[in-house]
Amino acid sequence: MLLVIDVGNTTIVFGIYKDGELISDSRIATVKTRTSDEYGMLFYNVLSHANIDVNEIEDVIISSVVPNLMHTLPSMVIKYFNRRPIVVNRHLRLDLNIKYANPDEVGADRLVNAVAAVKKYGGPCIIVDIGTAMTFCVIDEENSYLGGLILPGIGISAEALFMMTSKLPKIEIVKCDSVVQGTTTRAMQAGLYHGFTSMIDGILEKIAAEHGYDLDKVKLISTGGFSSLLTSDSKYNIIIDRFLTLQGLKIIYDLNKNSVNL
């Protein structure tokens, strides 16, 4: 069995692959101050609850956008799973041509998503990852990673409305059918929902215009915690793939398992 771990700013998502199939997936909060022992017990308990025998885990791969945990989690894996994990970086075999001015600046999460999208859907494609931050990544027909853009996610924006104003309340992020609302809470919810859904379609259109893409033909993929909420009603055919990152980790592991010293 293979344990795949994706460390995000808000959530750590991890899954178990057995014989090439994802048989378990779990989410826990990202806490930068947790020790390797605390994470070890947490992973052990979650996996045990899912009826996973941790002794059957043969290898581990990690991607992370949280520098504070890049020592903690590999140390946890070594101590609790007796394995030395593969840590995703652009020097691994990815089968991507990274066109970034400085390839080392591309986040591990964006690389993993790009690898999965190319393998599953082919290029050209545009990936929208809707998490703590929202990212758009563009891959052309020759599997070249061209770059993209990064902006605050809907959760950050909702929190900013609450934290940076005197009277606006903390709200739940929900879908709103109507744009114009008659209460402050609903007005905030509508502003966030319609603001972000319109922005996603608008940015896709700008990317398509810059690169000469037909949005009815290019593959559009969304992933991340708010992907279903914010892209299911898009005017374009966006594939919602909630396991894109975990699948990307499995693909990268398969590309590198025989060349990395585990």
Side-chain angles (χ1 to χ4, degrees), residues 126-140:
I126 305 171
I127 307 161
V128 189
D129 190 346
I130 310 172
T132 306
M134 180 183 293
T135 63
F136 290 74
C137 296
V138 182
I139 297 96
D140 69 14

Side-chain angles (χ1 to χ4, degrees), residues 108-130:
D109 55 338
R110 301 174 78 188
L111 292 176
V112 172
N113 286 342
V115 168
V118 166
K119 180 72 171 180
K120 294 183 68 178
Y121 306 107
C125 61
I126 305 171
I127 307 161
V128 189
D129 190 346
I130 310 172

Side-chain angles (χ1 to χ4, degrees), residues 82-128:
N82 196 31
R83 295 291 182 269
R84 187 173 298 278
I86 295 175
V87 178
V88 173
N89 61 69
R90 66 103 172 175
H91 299 289
L92 295 176
R93 180 184 170 189
L94 305 174
D95 287 353
L96 283 176
N97 182 18
I98 303 172
K99 295 288 191 176
Y100 236 48
N102 181 359
D104 290 323
E105 291 183 355
V106 184
D109 55 338
R110 301 174 78 188
L111 292 176
V112 172
N113 286 342
V115 168
V118 166
K119 180 72 171 180
K120 294 183 68 178
Y121 306 107
C125 61
I126 305 171
I127 307 161
V128 189

Side-chain angles (χ1 to χ4, degrees), residues 15-55:
I16 294 290
Y17 278 90
K18 184 175 183 179
D19 299 326
E21 178 184 355
L22 183 66
I23 63 170
S24 173
D25 67 281
S26 305
R27 295 171 180 265
I28 60 175
T30 302
V31 180
K32 298 176 184 178
T33 56
R34 277 190 181 132
T35 66
S36 58
D37 288 323
E38 289 172 319
Y39 271 115
M41 293 306 299
L42 191 54
F43 270 73
Y44 190 93
N45 289 335
V46 171
L47 292 171
S48 296
H49 182 72
N51 296 317
I52 301 297
D53 183 354
V54 297
N55 294 315

Side-chain angles (χ1 to χ4, degrees), residues 138-156:
V138 182
I139 297 96
D140 69 14
E141 61 278 0
E142 296 177 347
N143 295 349
S144 293
Y145 180 90
L146 304 182
L149 60 155
I150 305 171
L151 57 148
I154 193 170
I156 290 177

Side-chain angles (χ1 to χ4, degrees), residues 12 35 46 49-50 71 74 98-99 101 122 151 157 185 200 246 261:
I12 297 174
T35 66
V46 171
H49 182 72
H71 173 73
I98 303 172
K99 295 288 191 176
L151 57 148
S157 298
T185 294
I200 290 169
L246 297 186
N261 184 22

Side-chain angles (χ1 to χ4, degrees), residues 61 86 88-89 92-94 108 111-113 115-116 247-257:
I61 183 168
I86 295 175
V88 173
N89 61 69
L92 295 176
R93 180 184 170 189
L94 305 174
L111 292 176
V112 172
N113 286 342
V115 168
Q247 291 168 335
L249 285 167
K250 171 67 166 57
I251 294 166
I252 293 173
Y253 169 78
D254 288 339
L255 289 172
N256 293 274
K257 61 184 178 182

